[in-house]
Amino acid sequence: MAGVRAICLFCGSREGRDPAHAALADALGSLLADRGVTLVYGGGGIGLMGRAARAAKAGGGKVVGVIPRFLMREEIAQTGLDELQVVPTLHDRKMRMHERADAILALPGSIGTLDELFEAMTWRELRLHAKPIWLLGPSGYWEPFMALLRHLDSEGFAPPDLFELVEQIPDLDALAARLN
């Protein structure tokens, strides 16, 4: 795969309890700006997603937001983006974000983040795309998710390539290496 030119970010509309989550979102936005990688995300100005977008813009990066009309107030649509697409549904949001990116990255989040992540993994399993899907979070955030995948596998419900669908990345340095 050639270098990643745009990354689809799934993450929380909250910042979580651990300040390391917010610090990671800020550092991610800065890294993407430094590397010239476009951030494609959910368009909100709150939580980790808002932090990553503002950090990318502050670093001179390009940021594309995709937000469903009904979430423009709840997620407080971020201003100052290079592009903000307003779409009718959550499904349209996921599809547009996916179409605009070369890779998918999930930071900590809640059930919405998991929904986005599982759908991207399902699309990859069904060979609708071959984009890498990466998990990044401090303090072993994604370990329970990986344990769930191992459980699905041990119970005989997982596809044979389950652990090729998603990769847990230890830190931003490892992500930076994958962007090249």
Side-chain angles (χ1 to χ4, degrees):
M1 170 180 194
V4 174
R5 297 172 312 277
I7 197 162
C8 172
L9 176 64
F10 299 139
C11 63
S13 60
R14 295 178 185 88
E15 292 188 15
R17 290 190 181 100
D18 186 344
H21 299 303
L24 178 62
D26 292 342
L28 171 67
S30 296
L31 171 69
L32 295 178
D34 289 346
R35 294 297 179 103
V37 176
T38 298
L39 172 61
V40 180
Y41 86 112
I46 58 176
L48 297 184
M49 66 174 157
R51 291 189 75 105
R54 287 188 297 279
K57 285 306 300 170
K62 182 176 179 184
V63 180
V64 175
V66 183
I67 192 166
R69 182 169 311 285
F70 73 93
L71 285 179
M72 288 186 68
R73 285 196 181 138
E74 185 175 330
E75 291 186 352
I76 310 171
Q78 181 66 48
T79 59
L81 302 177
D82 295 282
E83 185 180 338
L84 180 65
Q85 296 181 18
V86 180
V87 296
T89 68
L90 285 168
H91 180 74
D92 291 322
R93 174 197 237 179
K94 290 183 280 189
M95 182 60 84
R96 293 256 182 107
M97 290 170 63
H98 187 272
E99 288 170 347
R100 298 286 299 264
D102 303 309
I104 297 159
L105 175 66
L107 294 185
S110 184
I111 58 177
T113 302
L114 293 176
D115 167 66
E116 293 162 334
L117 177 57
F118 274 124
E119 188 157 9
M121 289 174 66
T122 300
W123 291 350
R124 187 162 178 195
E125 178 191 357
L126 296 173
R127 293 178 175 70
L128 298 176
H129 75 86
K131 298 173 185 182
I133 302 171
W134 300 314
L135 307 174
L136 179 61
S139 306
Y141 182 85
W142 290 105
E143 190 47 41
F145 179 81
M146 297 304 293
L148 173 62
L149 297 183
R150 288 189 296 273
H151 175 69
L152 296 175
D153 186 51
S154 71
E155 292 294 323
F157 290 103
D161 62 346
L162 176 65
F163 297 101
E164 296 169 22
L165 300 177
V166 64
E167 178 186 6
Q168 191 173 7
I169 297 179
D171 54 37
L172 281 174
D173 289 338
L175 175 64
R178 285 160 178 79
L179 295 176
N180 294 328

